[in-house]
Amino acid sequence: PLGALALQHVAGLEVVRRGFGRRLEAQELSLATLFRVGEATTGRSGAGALDAVLALLGDVVDASGVALLRSDAAGALDGRRLEWRQRGDGQIGSDASAREALERRALRVVPERVAGASAPGFCVYAPLIAGDEPVGCLVVERDSTQPLDPSRLRTIATAGAQLALTIENLQLLDGLRATFESSVEALASAVEARDGYTVLHCRRLAAFSSLVCERMGLSEDETESVRLGALLHD
């Protein structure tokens, strides 16, 4: 009897050990993912950083697809959408469910059938809030009925918070760029106003230069630099 009791005790300890090991692995994977998300958002700019984060999340949770839906300051989806898909086809997530998550400002798990999948699945909707202002909703699509453990759900929520800060920074950069371009336009207008002969001359040259850059296959950044240079050439 003592031997049988000892064997049962050992078997119970082994179950606990394996469960503890799985939790440690999940936590390690979560921390590694968040570290890589941080690297992607600080080491890249623009849509490249957002693409990298969506792909990282998709790999970690074995998602069939991940989408980033952008919103205005009032929390209304504005139609801008960035998607990463690993399996299946069709649109990722539901706009209605994303709006509800933004209204509630809480992570939601919604059963939804994934397009092209044989089994039912679900989507995780994580609202993206920067400060107190909504900037979008992160959608993680799974073509499986197996639920995500709390560690992976926390990873999605934390990555969403990082994404919200990245989007806020991109919006600030867009605002600074718009202010800079307005200043350049004002300088060009001042130059053109000096002489009737030069009216719209700088703007025409900027337009022609941009077309030449496009025909040459230059990048958007290079084309914009040439356009600004043309505006200021006088």
Side-chain angles (χ1 to χ4, degrees), residues 51-146:
D51 278 326
V53 173
L54 298 190
L56 280 171
L57 274 178
D59 287 339
V60 168
V61 302
D62 189 27
S64 54
V66 184
L68 173 63
L69 283 58
R70 301 283 293 275
S71 73
D72 58 23
L77 298 179
D78 58 15
R80 290 177 294 170
R81 170 187 287 263
L82 186 65
E83 293 190 350
W84 172 89
R85 181 169 282 288
Q86 184 166 245
R87 298 183 298 276
D89 52 25
Q91 179 174 292
I92 297 172
S94 159
D95 288 356
S97 296
R99 282 193 292 268
E100 188 171 350
L102 278 169
E103 290 172 2
R104 296 185 180 184
R105 297 200 172 195
L107 187 142
R108 300 184 66 231
V109 180
V110 181
E112 292 179 4
R113 178 167 288 279
V114 177
S118 57
F122 62 90
C123 285
V124 180
Y125 294 87
L128 307 181
I129 310 296
D132 196 41
E133 186 175 297
V135 294
C137 184
L138 178 64
V139 185
V140 177
E141 176 192 84
R142 287 260 293 176
D143 53 358
S144 167
T145 56
Q146 183 178 359

Coordinates of all heavy atoms in Angstrom, one line a residue, residues 51-146:
D51 N 3.5 46.4 -39.8 CA 3.5 45.1 -40.5 C 4.3 44.0 -39.6 O 3.9 42.9 -39.5 CB 4.2 45.2 -41.8 CG 3.2 45.7 -42.9 OD1 2.0 45.4 -42.8 OD2 3.7 46.4 -43.8
A52 N 5.5 44.4 -39.1 CA 6.3 43.5 -38.3 C 5.6 43.1 -37.1 O 5.7 41.9 -36.7 CB 7.6 44.2 -38.0
V53 N 4.9 44.0 -36.4 CA 4.2 43.6 -35.2 C 3.1 42.6 -35.5 O 2.8 41.6 -34.7 CB 3.6 44.8 -34.5 CG1 2.7 44.5 -33.3 CG2 4.8 45.7 -34.0
L54 N 2.3 42.8 -36.5 CA 1.2 41.9 -36.9 C 1.8 40.5 -37.2 O 1.2 39.5 -36.7 CB 0.5 42.5 -38.1 CG -0.2 43.8 -38.0 CD1 -1.1 44.1 -39.2 CD2 -1.1 43.9 -36.7
A55 N 2.9 40.5 -37.9 CA 3.5 39.1 -38.2 C 4.0 38.4 -37.0 O 3.8 37.2 -36.8 CB 4.6 39.3 -39.2
L56 N 4.6 39.2 -36.0 CA 5.1 38.6 -34.8 C 3.9 38.0 -34.0 O 4.0 36.9 -33.5 CB 5.8 39.7 -34.0 CG 7.2 40.0 -34.4 CD1 7.7 41.2 -33.6 CD2 8.1 38.8 -34.1
L57 N 2.8 38.8 -33.9 CA 1.7 38.3 -33.1 C 1.1 37.1 -33.8 O 0.7 36.1 -33.1 CB 0.6 39.4 -33.0 CG 0.7 40.4 -31.9 CD1 -0.4 41.4 -32.0 CD2 0.7 39.7 -30.5
G58 N 1.0 37.1 -35.1 CA 0.4 35.9 -35.8 C 1.2 34.7 -35.5 O 0.6 33.6 -35.3
D59 N 2.5 34.8 -35.5 CA 3.4 33.6 -35.3 C 3.2 33.1 -33.8 O 3.2 31.9 -33.6 CB 4.9 34.0 -35.5 CG 5.2 34.1 -37.0 OD1 4.4 33.6 -37.8 OD2 6.2 34.8 -37.3
V60 N 3.1 34.0 -32.9 CA 3.1 33.6 -31.5 C 1.8 32.8 -31.1 O 1.8 31.8 -30.4 CB 3.3 34.8 -30.6 CG1 3.0 34.5 -29.1 CG2 4.7 35.3 -30.6
V61 N 0.7 33.3 -31.6 CA -0.6 32.7 -31.2 C -1.1 31.8 -32.3 O -2.2 31.3 -32.2 CB -1.6 33.8 -30.9 CG1 -1.2 34.7 -29.8 CG2 -2.0 34.6 -32.2
D62 N -0.3 31.5 -33.3 CA -0.7 30.7 -34.5 C -2.0 31.2 -35.0 O -2.9 30.4 -35.2 CB -0.8 29.2 -34.0 CG -1.0 28.3 -35.2 OD1 -0.5 28.6 -36.3 OD2 -1.6 27.2 -35.1
A63 N -2.0 32.5 -35.3 CA -3.2 33.1 -35.9 C -3.3 32.8 -37.4 O -2.3 32.7 -38.1 CB -3.2 34.6 -35.6
S64 N -4.5 32.7 -37.9 CA -4.7 32.6 -39.3 C -4.6 33.9 -40.0 O -4.2 34.1 -41.1 CB -6.1 32.0 -39.6 OG -7.1 32.7 -39.0
G65 N -4.8 35.0 -39.2 CA -4.7 36.3 -39.7 C -4.7 37.4 -38.6 O -5.3 37.1 -37.5
V66 N -4.1 38.5 -38.8 CA -4.1 39.6 -37.8 C -4.3 40.9 -38.6 O -3.8 41.1 -39.7 CB -2.7 39.7 -37.1 CG1 -2.8 40.8 -36.0 CG2 -2.3 38.4 -36.4
A67 N -5.2 41.7 -38.1 CA -5.5 43.0 -38.7 C -5.4 44.2 -37.8 O -5.7 44.0 -36.6 CB -6.9 42.9 -39.3
L68 N -5.1 45.3 -38.3 CA -5.1 46.5 -37.5 C -6.1 47.5 -38.2 O -5.9 47.9 -39.3 CB -3.7 47.2 -37.5 CG -3.6 48.6 -36.9 CD1 -3.9 48.5 -35.4 CD2 -2.2 49.1 -37.1
L69 N -7.1 47.8 -37.5 CA -8.2 48.7 -38.0 C -8.0 50.1 -37.3 O -8.0 50.2 -36.1 CB -9.6 48.2 -37.7 CG -10.1 47.1 -38.5 CD1 -9.2 45.8 -38.5 CD2 -11.5 46.7 -38.1
R70 N -7.8 51.1 -38.1 CA -7.6 52.5 -37.6 C -8.9 53.2 -37.3 O -9.9 52.9 -38.0 CB -6.7 53.3 -38.5 CG -5.4 52.7 -38.8 CD -4.4 52.9 -37.7 NE -4.0 54.3 -37.6 CZ -3.1 54.9 -38.3 NH1 -2.4 54.2 -39.2 NH2 -2.8 56.1 -38.1
S71 N -8.9 54.1 -36.4 CA -10.1 54.9 -36.0 C -9.7 56.3 -35.8 O -8.5 56.7 -35.7 CB -10.7 54.3 -34.7 OG -9.9 54.7 -33.6
D72 N -10.8 57.2 -35.8 CA -10.5 58.6 -35.5 C -10.6 58.8 -34.0 O -10.7 57.8 -33.3 CB -11.6 59.5 -36.3 CG -13.0 59.1 -35.9 OD1 -13.2 58.5 -34.8 OD2 -13.9 59.4 -36.6
A73 N -10.4 60.1 -33.6 CA -10.3 60.3 -32.2 C -11.6 60.0 -31.4 O -11.6 59.8 -30.2 CB -10.0 61.8 -32.0
A74 N -12.7 60.0 -32.2 CA -14.0 59.7 -31.5 C -14.3 58.2 -31.4 O -15.3 57.7 -30.8 CB -15.2 60.3 -32.3
G75 N -13.4 57.3 -32.0 CA -13.5 55.9 -31.9 C -14.2 55.3 -33.0 O -14.5 54.1 -33.0
A76 N -14.5 56.1 -34.1 CA -15.2 55.5 -35.3 C -14.2 55.0 -36.3 O -13.2 55.7 -36.6 CB -16.0 56.6 -35.9
L77 N -14.3 53.8 -36.7 CA -13.4 53.2 -37.7 C -13.5 54.1 -39.0 O -14.5 54.4 -39.5 CB -13.8 51.8 -38.1 CG -13.8 50.8 -36.9 CD1 -14.2 49.4 -37.3 CD2 -12.4 50.7 -36.3
D78 N -12.3 54.4 -39.5 CA -12.2 55.3 -40.7 C -11.9 54.6 -42.0 O -11.6 55.3 -43.0 CB -11.2 56.4 -40.4 CG -9.8 55.9 -40.1 OD1 -9.5 54.7 -40.4 OD2 -8.9 56.7 -39.7
G79 N -11.9 53.3 -42.0 CA -11.7 52.5 -43.2 C -10.2 52.1 -43.5 O -10.0 51.3 -44.3
R80 N -9.3 52.7 -42.7 CA -7.9 52.3 -42.9 C -7.7 51.0 -42.2 O -8.0 50.8 -41.1 CB -6.9 53.4 -42.3 CG -6.9 54.7 -43.1 CD -6.0 55.7 -42.4 NE -6.5 56.1 -41.1 CZ -5.8 56.8 -40.2 NH1 -4.6 57.2 -40.5 NH2 -6.4 57.2 -39.1
R81 N -7.0 50.1 -43.0 CA -6.9 48.7 -42.5 C -5.6 48.1 -43.0 O -5.2 48.3 -44.1 CB -8.1 47.9 -43.0 CG -7.9 46.4 -42.8 CD -9.1 45.6 -43.5 NE -10.3 45.8 -42.8 CZ -10.8 44.9 -41.9 NH1 -10.1 43.8 -41.7 NH2 -11.9 45.2 -41.3
L82 N -4.9 47.5 -42.1 CA -3.6 46.8 -42.4 C -3.7 45.3 -42.0 O -4.1 45.1 -40.8 CB -2.4 47.5 -41.6 CG -1.0 47.0 -42.0 CD1 -0.7 47.3 -43.4 CD2 0.0 47.6 -41.0
E83 N -3.5 44.4 -42.9 CA -3.7 43.0 -42.6 C -2.5 42.1 -42.8 O -1.6 42.4 -43.7 CB -4.8 42.4 -43.5 CG -6.2 43.0 -43.1 CD -7.3 42.3 -43.8 OE1 -7.0 41.5 -44.7 OE2 -8.5 42.6 -43.5
W84 N -2.3 41.1 -42.0 CA -1.3 40.1 -42.2 C -2.0 38.7 -42.2 O -2.8 38.5 -41.2 CB -0.2 40.1 -41.1 CG 0.7 39.0 -41.2 CD1 1.9 38.9 -41.8 CD2 0.6 37.7 -40.5 NE1 2.5 37.7 -41.6 CE2 1.7 36.9 -40.8 CE3 -0.4 37.2 -39.6 CZ2 1.9 35.7 -40.3 CZ3 -0.2 35.9 -39.1 CH2 1.0 35.2 -39.5
R85 N -1.9 37.9 -43.2 CA -2.6 36.6 -43.2 C -1.7 35.5 -43.4 O -0.8 35.5 -44.3 CB -3.7 36.7 -44.3 CG -4.5 35.4 -44.4 CD -5.7 35.5 -45.3 NE -6.8 36.2 -44.7 CZ -7.5 35.7 -43.7 NH1 -7.3 34.5 -43.2 NH2 -8.5 36.4 -43.2
Q86 N -1.9 34.4 -42.6 CA -1.1 33.2 -42.7 C -1.8 32.1 -43.4 O -1.3 31.3 -44.2 CB -0.7 32.8 -41.3 CG 0.3 31.6 -41.3 CD 0.9 31.4 -39.9 OE1 2.1 31.5 -39.8 NE2 0.1 31.1 -38.9
R87 N -3.1 32.0 -43.2 CA -4.0 31.0 -43.8 C -5.4 31.6 -44.1 O -5.8 32.6 -43.5 CB -4.2 29.8 -42.8 CG -2.9 29.1 -42.5 CD -3.2 27.9 -41.6 NE -3.8 28.2 -40.3 CZ -3.1 28.6 -39.2 NH1 -1.8 28.7 -39.3 NH2 -3.7 28.9 -38.1
G88 N -6.1 30.9 -45.0 CA -7.4 31.3 -45.3 C -7.5 32.6 -46.2 O -6.5 33.0 -46.8
D89 N -8.6 33.1 -46.3 CA -8.8 34.3 -47.2 C -10.0 35.1 -46.7 O -10.6 34.8 -45.6 CB -9.1 33.9 -48.6 CG -10.2 32.9 -48.7 OD1 -11.1 32.8 -47.8 OD2 -10.3 32.1 -49.7
G90 N -10.3 36.2 -47.4 CA -11.3 37.1 -46.9 C -10.9 38.1 -45.9 O -9.8 38.1 -45.4
Q91 N -11.8 39.0 -45.5 CA -11.6 40.0 -44.6 C -11.4 39.4 -43.2 O -12.1 38.5 -42.8 CB -12.7 41.0 -44.6 CG -12.5 42.2 -43.6 CD -13.6 43.2 -43.7 OE1 -13.6 43.9 -44.7 NE2 -14.4 43.3 -42.7
I92 N -10.4 40.0 -42.4 CA -10.2 39.5 -41.1 C -11.0 40.3 -40.1 O -10.9 41.5 -40.0 CB -8.7 39.7 -40.7 CG1 -7.8 38.8 -41.7 CG2 -8.4 39.3 -39.3 CD1 -6.3 39.1 -41.5
G93 N -11.8 39.6 -39.3 CA -12.6 40.3 -38.3 C -13.9 41.0 -38.8 O -14.1 41.1 -40.0
S94 N -14.6 41.5 -37.9 CA -15.9 42.2 -38.2 C -15.8 43.6 -37.7 O -15.4 43.9 -36.5 CB -17.0 41.5 -37.5 OG -18.1 42.3 -37.3
D95 N -16.2 44.5 -38.5 CA -16.1 46.0 -38.1 C -17.1 46.2 -37.0 O -16.8 47.0 -36.1 CB -16.5 46.8 -39.3 CG -15.4 46.9 -40.4 OD1 -14.4 46.3 -40.2 OD2 -15.7 47.5 -41.5
A96 N -18.2 45.5 -37.0 CA -19.2 45.7 -35.9 C -18.6 45.3 -34.5 O -18.7 46.0 -33.5 CB -20.5 45.0 -36.2
S97 N -17.9 44.2 -34.5 CA -17.3 43.7 -33.3 C -16.1 44.6 -32.8 O -15.9 44.8 -31.6 CB -16.8 42.2 -33.5 OG -17.8 41.3 -33.7
A98 N -15.4 45.1 -33.8 CA -14.3 46.0 -33.5 C -14.9 47.3 -32.9 O -14.3 47.9 -31.9 CB -13.5 46.3 -34.8
R99 N -16.0 47.8 -33.5 CA -16.6 49.0 -32.9 C -17.1 48.8 -31.5 O -16.9 49.7 -30.6 CB -17.7 49.5 -33.8 CG -17.3 50.2 -35.1 CD -18.5 50.9 -35.7 NE -19.4 49.9 -36.2 CZ -19.4 49.4 -37.5 NH1 -18.5 49.8 -38.3 NH2 -20.3 48.5 -37.9
E100 N -17.6 47.6 -31.2 CA -18.1 47.3 -29.9 C -16.9 47.2 -28.9 O -17.0 47.7 -27.8 CB -18.9 46.0 -29.9 CG -19.6 45.7 -28.6 CD -20.5 44.5 -28.7 OE1 -20.7 44.0 -29.8 OE2 -21.0 44.0 -27.6
A101 N -15.8 46.6 -29.3 CA -14.6 46.6 -28.4 C -14.1 48.0 -28.1 O -13.7 48.3 -27.0 CB -13.5 45.8 -29.1
L102 N -14.2 48.9 -29.1 CA -13.7 50.3 -28.9 C -14.7 51.0 -28.0 O -14.2 51.8 -27.1 CB -13.6 51.0 -30.2 CG -12.4 50.8 -31.0 CD1 -12.5 51.3 -32.4 CD2 -11.2 51.4 -30.4
E103 N -16.0 50.7 -28.1 CA -16.9 51.4 -27.2 C -16.8 50.9 -25.8 O -16.8 51.7 -24.8 CB -18.4 51.1 -27.7 CG -18.7 51.8 -29.0 CD -20.1 51.3 -29.6 OE1 -20.7 50.5 -28.9 OE2 -20.5 51.8 -30.6
R104 N -16.5 49.6 -25.6 CA -16.4 49.0 -24.3 C -15.0 49.3 -23.7 O -14.8 49.2 -22.5 CB -16.6 47.5 -24.3 CG -18.1 47.1 -24.6 CD -18.2 45.6 -24.5 NE -19.5 45.2 -24.8 CZ -19.9 43.9 -24.7 NH1 -19.1 43.0 -24.3 NH2 -21.2 43.6 -25.1
R105 N -14.0 49.5 -24.6 CA -12.6 49.7 -24.2 C -12.1 48.5 -23.4 O -11.4 48.6 -22.4 CB -12.4 51.0 -23.4 CG -12.7 52.3 -24.2 CD -12.1 53.5 -23.6 NE -12.3 54.6 -24.5 CZ -11.6 55.8 -24.4 NH1 -10.7 55.9 -23.4 NH2 -11.8 56.7 -25.2
A106 N -12.5 47.3 -23.9 CA -12.1 46.1 -23.3 C -11.8 45.0 -24.3 O -12.5 45.0 -25.4 CB -13.2 45.6 -22.3
L107 N -10.9 44.1 -24.0 CA -10.6 43.0 -24.9 C -11.8 42.1 -25.0 O -12.3 41.7 -24.0 CB -9.3 42.3 -24.4 CG -8.7 41.2 -25.3 CD1 -7.2 41.2 -25.3 CD2 -9.2 39.8 -24.9
R108 N -12.1 41.6 -26.2 CA -13.3 40.7 -26.4 C -12.8 39.5 -27.2 O -12.0 39.6 -28.2 CB -14.4 41.4 -27.1 CG -14.9 42.7 -26.4 CD -16.1 43.2 -27.2 NE -17.3 42.3 -27.1 CZ -17.9 41.9 -28.2 NH1 -17.6 42.4 -29.4 NH2 -19.0 41.1 -28.1
V109 N -13.4 38.4 -26.9 CA -13.2 37.1 -27.7 C -14.5 36.8 -28.3 O -15.5 36.5 -27.5 CB -12.6 36.0 -26.8 CG1 -12.4 34.7 -27.7 CG2 -11.3 36.4 -26.2
V110 N -14.6 36.8 -29.6 CA -15.9 36.6 -30.3 C -15.9 35.4 -31.2 O -15.0 35.3 -32.1 CB -16.3 37.8 -31.1 CG1 -17.7 37.6 -31.7 CG2 -16.3 39.1 -30.2
P111 N -16.8 34.3 -31.0 CA -16.8 33.2 -31.9 C -17.2 33.7 -33.3 O -18.2 34.3 -33.5 CB -17.9 32.3 -31.3 CG -18.0 32.7 -29.9 CD -17.7 34.2 -29.9
E112 N -16.3 33.4 -34.3 CA -16.6 33.8 -35.7 C -16.0 32.7 -36.6 O -14.9 32.2 -36.4 CB -16.0 35.1 -36.0 CG -16.7 36.3 -35.3 CD -16.0 37.6 -35.6 OE1 -15.1 37.7 -36.4 OE2 -16.4 38.6 -35.0
R113 N -16.8 32.4 -37.7 CA -16.3 31.5 -38.7 C -15.3 32.2 -39.6 O -15.6 33.2 -40.1 CB -17.4 30.9 -39.5 CG -16.9 29.9 -40.6 CD -18.1 29.1 -41.1 NE -18.6 28.1 -40.2 CZ -18.0 26.9 -40.0 NH1 -16.9 26.6 -40.7 NH2 -18.6 26.1 -39.1
V114 N -14.1 31.6 -39.7 CA -13.1 32.1 -40.6 C -13.3 31.7 -42.0 O -13.6 30.5 -42.3 CB -11.7 31.7 -40.1 CG1 -10.6 32.2 -41.0 CG2 -11.4 32.1 -38.7
A115 N -13.2 32.7 -42.9 CA -13.4 32.4 -44.4 C -12.4 31.3 -44.9 O -11.2 31.5 -44.6 CB -13.3 33.7 -45.2
G116 N -12.9 30.3 -45.5 CA -12.1 29.3 -46.1 C -11.7 28.2 -45.1 O -11.0 27.2 -45.5
A117 N -12.1 28.3 -43.8 CA -11.7 27.3 -42.8 C -12.8 26.3 -42.7 O -14.0 26.6 -42.8 CB -11.4 27.9 -41.5
S118 N -12.5 25.0 -42.4 CA -13.5 23.9 -42.3 C -14.1 23.9 -40.9 O -15.2 23.5 -40.7 CB -12.8 22.6 -42.6 OG -11.7 22.4 -41.7
A119 N -13.4 24.4 -39.9 CA -13.9 24.4 -38.5 C -14.2 25.8 -38.1 O -13.6 26.7 -38.6 CB -12.8 23.8 -37.6
P120 N -15.1 25.9 -37.1 CA -15.4 27.2 -36.6 C -14.2 27.8 -35.8 O -13.3 27.1 -35.4 CB -16.6 27.0 -35.6 CG -16.5 25.6 -35.2 CD -15.9 24.9 -36.4
G121 N -14.1 29.1 -35.8 CA -13.0 29.8 -35.1 C -13.5 30.9 -34.2 O -14.6 31.0 -33.8
F122 N -12.6 31.8 -33.9 CA -12.9 33.0 -33.1 C -11.9 34.1 -33.4 O -10.9 33.9 -34.0 CB -12.9 32.7 -31.6 CG -11.6 32.2 -31.1 CD1 -10.7 33.2 -30.6 CD2 -11.2 30.9 -31.1 CE1 -9.5 32.8 -30.1 CE2 -10.0 30.5 -30.6 CZ -9.1 31.4 -30.1
C123 N -12.3 35.3 -33.0 CA -11.4 36.5 -33.2 C -11.3 37.2 -31.8 O -12.2 37.2 -31.0 CB -12.0 37.5 -34.2 SG -11.9 37.0 -35.9
V124 N -10.1 37.7 -31.6 CA -9.8 38.5 -30.4 C -9.7 39.9 -30.8 O -9.0 40.2 -31.7 CB -8.5 38.0 -29.7 CG1 -8.2 38.9 -28.5 CG2 -8.5 36.6 -29.3
Y125 N -10.5 40.8 -30.2 CA -10.5 42.2 -30.5 C -9.9 43.0 -29.3 O -10.4 42.9 -28.2 CB -12.0 42.7 -30.7 CG -12.6 42.1 -32.0 CD1 -13.3 40.9 -31.9 CD2 -12.5 42.7 -33.2 CE1 -13.8 40.3 -33.0 CE2 -13.1 42.2 -34.3 CZ -13.8 41.0 -34.2 OH -14.3 40.4 -35.3
A126 N -8.8 43.7 -29.6 CA -8.1 44.4 -28.5 C -8.2 45.9 -28.9 O -7.6 46.3 -29.9 CB -6.7 44.0 -28.4
P127 N -9.0 46.7 -28.2 CA -9.0 48.2 -28.5 C -7.7 48.8 -28.2 O -7.0 48.5 -27.3 CB -10.1 48.7 -27.5 CG -10.1 47.8 -26.4 CD -9.7 46.4 -27.0
L128 N -7.3 49.7 -29.1 CA -6.0 50.4 -29.0 C -6.3 51.9 -28.5 O -6.9 52.7 -29.2 CB -5.3 50.5 -30.4 CG -5.1 49.1 -31.1 CD1 -4.3 49.3 -32.4 CD2 -4.3 48.2 -30.2
I129 N -5.8 52.1 -27.3 CA -6.0 53.4 -26.7 C -4.7 54.1 -26.4 O -3.8 53.5 -25.7 CB -6.8 53.3 -25.4 CG1 -8.1 52.4 -25.6 CG2 -7.2 54.7 -24.8 CD1 -9.1 53.0 -26.5
A130 N -4.5 55.3 -26.9 CA -3.2 56.0 -26.6 C -3.6 57.2 -25.7 O -4.3 58.1 -26.1 CB -2.6 56.6 -27.9
G131 N -3.1 57.1 -24.4 CA -3.6 58.1 -23.4 C -5.0 57.8 -23.1 O -5.4 56.8 -22.5
D132 N -5.9 58.7 -23.5 CA -7.4 58.5 -23.3 C -8.1 58.5 -24.7 O -9.3 58.6 -24.7 CB -8.0 59.5 -22.4 CG -9.3 59.1 -21.9 OD1 -9.5 58.0 -21.5 OD2 -10.2 60.0 -21.8
E133 N -7.3 58.4 -25.8 CA -7.9 58.6 -27.1 C -7.8 57.3 -27.9 O -6.7 56.7 -28.0 CB -7.1 59.7 -27.8 CG -7.7 60.1 -29.2 CD -7.0 61.3 -29.8 OE1 -7.0 62.4 -29.2 OE2 -6.3 61.1 -30.8
P134 N -8.9 56.8 -28.4 CA -8.8 55.6 -29.2 C -8.1 55.9 -30.6 O -8.3 56.9 -31.2 CB -10.3 55.2 -29.5 CG -11.0 56.5 -29.3 CD -10.3 57.3 -28.3
V135 N -7.3 54.9 -31.0 CA -6.6 55.1 -32.3 C -6.9 53.9 -33.2 O -6.5 53.9 -34.4 CB -5.1 55.2 -32.1 CG1 -4.8 56.5 -31.4 CG2 -4.5 54.0 -31.3
G136 N -7.5 52.8 -32.7 CA -7.8 51.7 -33.6 C -8.2 50.5 -32.8 O -8.4 50.5 -31.6
C137 N -8.2 49.3 -33.5 CA -8.5 48.0 -32.9 C -7.7 47.0 -33.5 O -7.5 46.9 -34.7 CB -10.0 47.7 -33.1 SG -10.5 46.2 -32.2
L138 N -7.1 46.1 -32.7 CA -6.3 45.0 -33.1 C -7.1 43.7 -33.2 O -7.8 43.4 -32.2 CB -5.1 44.8 -32.2 CG -4.1 43.6 -32.5 CD1 -3.4 43.8 -33.8 CD2 -3.1 43.5 -31.3
V139 N -7.1 43.0 -34.3 CA -7.9 41.8 -34.5 C -7.0 40.6 -34.7 O -6.3 40.7 -35.7 CB -8.9 42.0 -35.6 CG1 -9.9 40.8 -35.7 CG2 -9.7 43.3 -35.5
V140 N -7.2 39.6 -33.9 CA -6.4 38.4 -34.1 C -7.4 37.3 -34.4 O -8.2 36.9 -33.6 CB -5.6 38.0 -32.8 CG1 -4.8 36.7 -33.0 CG2 -4.6 39.2 -32.5
E141 N -7.2 36.7 -35.5 CA -8.2 35.6 -36.0 C -7.6 34.3 -35.9 O -6.4 34.0 -36.2 CB -8.5 35.9 -37.5 CG -9.4 34.9 -38.2 CD -9.4 35.1 -39.7 OE1 -8.5 34.6 -40.3 OE2 -10.3 35.8 -40.2
R142 N -8.4 33.3 -35.3 CA -7.9 31.9 -35.1 C -8.9 31.0 -35.8 O -10.1 31.1 -35.6 CB -7.9 31.6 -33.7 CG -6.7 32.2 -32.9 CD -5.5 31.3 -32.7 NE -5.9 30.2 -31.8 CZ -5.1 29.2 -31.5 NH1 -3.9 29.1 -32.1 NH2 -5.4 28.3 -30.7
D143 N -8.4 30.1 -36.7 CA -9.2 29.1 -37.4 C -9.3 27.8 -36.6 O -9.1 26.7 -37.1 CB -8.8 28.9 -38.8 CG -7.3 28.6 -38.9 OD1 -6.6 28.5 -37.8 OD2 -6.8 28.3 -40.0
S144 N -9.5 27.9 -35.3 CA -9.4 26.8 -34.4 C -10.4 27.0 -33.2 O -10.6 28.2 -32.8 CB -8.0 26.5 -33.9 OG -8.0 25.6 -32.8
T145 N -10.9 26.0 -32.7 CA -11.8 26.1 -31.5 C -11.0 26.1 -30.2 O -11.6 26.3 -29.1 CB -12.8 25.0 -31.5 OG1 -12.2 23.7 -31.5 CG2 -13.8 25.1 -32.6
Q146 N -9.7 25.7 -30.3 CA -8.9 25.7 -29.0 C -8.7 27.1 -28.5 O -8.1 27.9 -29.2 CB -7.5 25.0 -29.3 CG -6.7 24.9 -28.1 CD -5.4 24.2 -28.4 OE1 -5.1 23.8 -29.6 NE2 -4.5 24.0 -27.4

